[in-house]
Amino acid sequence: MLLFNCFPDRMLDAKALLDEFKTVDADGSGLVSFDEFVRYYGEMLLPQAHQNFDEAADMFAFFDADHSGQLEAHEFLQLLHNVFPTRCEENEAACSREFAVADTS
C-alpha cells in the first residue's frame, strides 16, 4: 500500500503491487531491510533522491522499533498508518496480504 500510495502510476493492480514488493525486497527475505528501502525510495524519486535520503532514513529508523535494521509487518503497518492515516483499513488489508505472500517460512 505504501508503494501504491507513493507511486500510484507504477501500481496498476494487486499483481503489479506484489511484483513491486518483490523488487523492493531484493534479497527475497520477505522483509524490507533499511538498505532495500532506501535504494528503492531513491530510485523512485530520482533526481530528488539525495534530498529525500535523510527523510527516508529517519522514517525507517523511527518505525524500526526493535532496531533490527528491518521492518517487520507490524512496524511497516505503523509506518503506513502514519503516512496514510485516512487509509488504515486499506493499509491493514494490504500489509496482511503482502506479508503473508512474502513470508514463505
Side-chain angles (χ1 to χ4, degrees), residues 4 7 20 24 26 35 42 46-48 53 60 66 73 76 101-102:
F4 178 78
F7 309 106
E20 201 70 16
V24 177
D35 291 338
L46 288 175
Q48 313 170 47
F53 179 82
F60 188 96
D66 62 359
F76 191 67
V101 170

Side-chain angles (χ1 to χ4, degrees), residues 77-96:
L77 186 57
Q78 288 293 322
L79 185 148
L80 291 177
H81 287 338
N82 187 291
V83 175
F84 307 105
T86 61
R87 299 182 134 175
C88 290
E89 287 183 26
E90 292 173 57
N91 294 341
E92 289 174 18
C95 189
S96 225

Side-chain angles (χ1 to χ4, degrees), residues 3 21 53 56-58 70 72 89 93:
L3 301 177
F21 181 83
F53 179 82
D58 290 345
Q70 298 179 333
E72 297 173 27
E89 287 183 26

